[in-house]
C-alpha cells in the first residue's frame, strides 16, 4: 500500500485541459463552464443529482473529441481552426453551418485556381454529412468509454452519449428531442455557448443571443432565466479558473482514486491523447512501459518510478494544441508550425501544474522529454546538468519507441534498427548512455555493457543520498525516513563506499551531478 489518494476531479481537469487544446477552445473553457453551470444550477434550484451530472458533463463533454480526428482533418484540413469557427454557433442553422464549412474548404484549398477551388468546395460539401455524422457518434461513444475508465456512474456516462443533441431535435447524431435530451446535456450546452458568446461579444450581447435562441437549441424556460440574469451569472468568471475552485464545487462526497484507479485514469488519458492519429495509438503506453522498466532497472526509488510511468503516459498531452493536419502531412513543417510543435512540451508541463502534489515532479519530466544532454533538444534547450536520471530515461524511451512507430514521412524501424538509432544518439552525445542501455534492456535488446544503476546504490540508499545532499543531518534523515540513526549511518557508509567518497560534500556533489537533487529543493 502506498497511500496514494488523488481526487478524481484532478483527472477530469487534465482531460478538460486536453480537450480544450484539441478543440481550440479558450484556456480553461471547460472549467469556466463548470463554474457557470454550478451557478445556473443554484439559480434554477437543481437537485444534488442534477448538479453532479452537470459538474462532470462540463469537464468531460469533449473528451471523445479525438476520435476519428484524422477523418475530420482529411476532409476539412485544420480541424482546430474548424472547431474554433464552430464555437458558439447555432448548429441547427444550416446556412451558418454551411458558411463555416465553406470557410474551412477555402482555407484548405487556398492555392487552387478559382474554378478548381469552387469544384473542391462543392465536392467537400457533398461529403460533409457522411463524414461528420459517424465522427460525432464516435465522439459520444469514446467519451462514455473514457468515463467508464474513470469509474463514473452509468447515470453520468449517459449524458456523455448525448453531447451534441439539442432540445429542438436539430442536434446530432440522433436528433433526440425535448426531455429525451438529458437535463445535464441541456444545461452544459447552454453554459458553454454562454461562455463562447460572452468571450466573443460580452455578457449583454450574449444574453440577447441566448434569449433569441430560447425556443431552439435550449430549453426555453432555462434560456430565459439565464438570459435575464446573464451579467450576474458571468461576473468574475475570468480567463482562468484555479484547481481549488473546481475541487470545492464537486458535489458531496468528493471522489478520490487509489493508486490502481489512478493508474487506470492515466492510461485512459494516454489513450485519449494517442487516439487522434492512427500512427500514435498506443504510443504513450509503450513509452510508459519502457520508462517504468528502465527506471526500476536503474535502481530509482519507487516514487520516482511511479512519477516516471505516469509522466510517460501523459508526456504528449501538449501535442493536442497542434492540428492533426500538421502532424499527418508528409512534408516539412513551416517555421511557425515547428515552433508550435516544439511548444507541446511546455503545454504538457502547464497541464500538470495544477495537478495536486503529484503534478509538479511529473510536469518537470514532461517539460524535458525532448531535451538532450548536449542542449540540442527542445524547447528550452537545456543540457545534461538539468536532466535527472528519470528525465534521461523518459527521453531515451520516447526516442526508441517513436523510432519503432510509423510516421507519415517514414516507415517504422525494426527493433534492431531503432536500437541502433538510439545508440547513435548516445555516441553523438544527445542521449544518456545509462538511460539508453536500461531502455534497450527492457526492450529485450542484449546489453552492450552492464548498466550502471547509480553506482549500484539501492533505492533506499538513493533516498538517503538525496536527503543528505539536500543538507539534512544523519539524524534528520533518519527521522524523515522513519529508520534508526544506526541504520542511517550504515546506509551512509555504504553509499560512500560505492561512489568512492569519504565526505558528505563529495557525496552531495555526486548527487547533484546525477541530477538527484536541485538547488533549493528538499526531496520529500
Ligand atoms: Fe513529445
Amino acid at each position: 500500500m502506498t497511500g496514494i489518494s488523488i481526487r478524481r476531479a484532478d483527472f477530469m481537469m487534465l482531460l478538460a485541459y486536453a480537450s480544450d487544446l484539441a478543440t481550440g477552445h479558450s484556456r480553461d473553457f471547460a472549467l469556466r463552464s463548470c463554474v457557470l453551470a454550478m451557478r445556473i444550477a443554484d439559480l434554477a434550484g437543481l437537485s444534488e443529482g442534477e448538479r453532479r451530472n452537470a459538474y462532470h458533463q462540463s469537464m468531460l463533454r469533449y473528451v471523445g473529441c479525438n476520435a476519428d480526428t484524422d477523418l475530420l482533418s482529411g476532409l476539412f484540413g485544420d480541424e482546430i481552426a474548424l472547431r474554433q469557427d464552430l464555437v458558439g454557433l447555432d448548429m441547427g442553422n444550416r446556412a451558418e453551418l454551411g458558411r463555416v464549412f465553406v470557410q474551412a474548404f477555402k482555407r484548405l484549398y487556398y492555392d487552387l485556381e478559382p474554378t478548381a477551388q469552387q469544384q473542391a468546395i462543392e465536392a467537400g460539401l457533398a461529403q460533409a454529412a457522411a463524414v461528420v455524422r459517424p465522427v460525432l457518434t464516435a465522439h459520444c461513444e469514446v467519451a462514455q468509454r473514457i468515463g467508464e475508465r474513470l469509474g463514473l456512474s452509468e447515470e453520468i456516462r449517459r449524458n456523455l452519449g448525448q453531447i451534441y443533441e439539442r432540445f429542438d431535435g436539430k442536434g446530432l447524431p440522433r436528433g433526440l428531442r425535448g426531455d429525451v435530451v438529458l437535463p445535464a446535456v441541456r444545461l452544459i450546452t447552454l453554459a458553454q455557448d454562454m461562455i463562447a458568446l460572452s468571450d466573443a461579444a460580452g455578457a449583454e450581447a450574449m444574453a440577447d443571443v441566448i434569449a433569441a435562441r430560447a425556443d431552439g437549441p435550449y430549453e426555453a424556460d432555462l434560456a430565459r432565466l439565464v438570459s435575464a440574469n446573464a451579467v450576474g451569472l458571468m461576473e468574475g468568471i475570468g480567463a482562468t479558473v484555479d484547481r481549488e475552485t473546481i475541487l470545492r464545487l464537486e458535489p458531496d462526497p468528493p471522489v478520490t482514486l487509489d493508486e490502481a484507479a489512478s493508474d487506470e485514469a492515466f492510461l485512459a488519458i494516454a489513450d485519449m491523447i494517442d487516439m487522434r492519429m492512427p500512427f500514435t495509438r498506443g504510443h504513450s503506453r509503450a513509452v510508459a512501459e519502457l520508462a517504468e522498466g528502465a527506471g526500476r532497472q536503474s535502481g530509482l526509488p519507487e516514487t520516482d518510478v511511479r512519477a516516471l510511468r505516469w509522466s510517460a503516459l501523459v508526456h504528449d498531452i501538449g501535442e493536442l494544441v497542434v492540428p492533426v493536419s500538421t502532424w499527418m502531412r508528409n512534408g516539412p513543417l513551416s517555421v511557425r508550425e515547428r515552433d508550435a510543435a516544439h511548444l507541446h512540451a511546455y503545454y504538457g508541463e502547464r497541464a500538470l501544474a495544477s495537478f495536486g502534489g503529484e503534478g509538479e515532479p511529473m510536469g518537470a519530466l514532461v517539460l524535458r522529454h525532448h531535451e538532450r544532454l548536449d542542449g540540442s533538444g527542445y524547447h528550452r534547450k537545456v543540457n545534461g546538468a538539468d536532466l535527472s536520471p528519470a528525465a534521461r530515461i523518459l527521453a531515451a524511451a520516447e526516442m526508441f519507441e517513436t523510432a519503432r512507430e510509423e510516421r507519415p514521412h517514414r516507415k517504422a524501424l525494426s527493433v534492431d534498427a531503432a536500437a541502433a538509432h538510439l545508440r547513435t544518439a548516445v555516441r553523438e552525445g544527445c542521449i544518456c548512455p545509462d538511460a539508453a542501455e536500461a531502455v534497450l534492456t527492457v526492450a529485450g535488446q542484449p546489453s552492450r555493457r552492464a548498466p550502471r544503476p547509480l553506482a549500484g546504490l539501492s533505492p533506499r540508499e538513493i533516498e538517503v543520498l538525496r536527503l543528505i545532499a539536500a543538507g539534512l543531518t544523519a539524524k534528520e534523515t533518519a527521522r524523515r525516513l522513519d529508520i534508526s540513526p544506526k541504520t542511517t549511518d550504515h546506509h551512509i557508509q555504504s553509499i560512500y563506499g560505492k561512489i568512492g567518497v569519504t565526505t558528505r560534500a563529495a557525496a552531495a556533489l555526486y548527487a547533484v551531478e546525477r541530477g538527484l537533487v536541485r538547488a533549493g529543493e528538499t526531496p520529500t
Side-chain angles (χ1 to χ4, degrees), residues 306-364:
R306 187 178 59 228
L308 183 52
R309 173 180 168 78
W310 287 354
S311 306
L313 286 172
V314 297
H315 72 278
D316 273 340
I317 194 169
E319 266 197 12
L320 302 181
V321 79
V322 179
V324 161
S325 52
T326 301
W327 297 121
M328 302 272 295
R329 187 167 347 113
N330 180 6
L333 303 187
S334 69
V335 174
R336 177 172 284 196
E337 286 170 339
R338 199 193 56 218
D339 285 349
H342 282 187
L343 280 176
H344 81 267
Y346 158 75
Y347 282 105
E349 184 203 27
R350 221 203 65 69
L352 291 157
S354 53
F355 189 81
E358 300 285 319
E360 200 182 323
M362 288 175 61

Side-chain angles (χ1 to χ4, degrees), residues 79-283:
E79 85 285 354
I80 293 183
L82 169 71
R83 284 166 160 163
Q84 281 172 330
D85 291 342
L86 291 171
V87 171
L89 197 77
D90 177 359
M91 304 279 194
N93 184 332
R94 291 291 173 92
E96 279 293 287
L97 198 57
R99 187 185 57 73
V100 169
F101 285 174
V102 168
Q103 198 167 303
F105 292 130
K106 280 189 173 166
R107 203 161 36 222
L108 179 61
Y109 299 119
Y110 74 96
D111 55 349
L112 295 185
E113 295 297 324
T115 310
Q117 189 190 59
Q118 189 54 36
Q119 285 170 350
I121 291 172
E122 282 166 18
L125 286 172
Q127 290 178 57
V131 170
V132 169
R133 192 177 291 266
V135 168
L136 299 189
T137 306
H139 288 186
C140 295
E141 286 181 3
V142 167
Q144 288 180 300
R145 181 81 197 109
I146 290 173
E148 194 175 346
R149 290 171 60 183
L150 292 178
L152 301 182
S153 70
E154 204 205 324
E155 185 184 341
I156 293 172
R157 283 187 274 129
R158 258 206 310 274
N159 298 295
L160 296 173
Q162 296 189 356
I163 53 180
Y164 301 116
E165 302 293 348
R166 298 168 30 133
F167 198 68
D168 61 2
K170 291 184 182 175
L172 288 170
R174 291 182 286 164
L176 304 178
R177 183 186 293 271
D179 288 342
V180 181
V181 182
L182 296 165
V185 175
R186 296 174 342 222
L187 172 53
I188 297 307
T189 301
L190 175 59
Q192 295 197 339
D193 281 359
M194 287 172 71
I195 298 273
L197 293 166
S198 182
D199 282 352
E204 287 175 16
M206 172 271 283
D208 292 341
V209 176
I210 296 294
R213 291 183 188 171
D215 288 321
Y218 320 122
E219 186 184 2
D221 289 347
L222 192 62
R224 288 195 195 98
L225 180 69
V226 300
S227 177
N229 294 278
V231 174
L233 284 168
M234 294 299 298
E235 199 180 323
I237 298 185
T240 59
V241 177
D242 63 32
R243 169 177 180 259
E244 298 308 319
T245 299
I246 298 296
L247 293 183
R248 257 197 319 273
L249 285 173
E250 182 176 1
D252 286 332
V255 178
T256 56
L257 304 187
D258 63 14
E259 183 167 0
S262 296
D263 197 71
E264 178 57 28
F266 276 122
L267 280 164
I269 296 173
D271 294 343
M272 183 266 191
I273 297 165
D274 292 342
M275 73 169 55
R276 243 184 8 150
M277 295 171 285
F279 52 80
T280 54
R281 283 181 194 140
H283 168 78

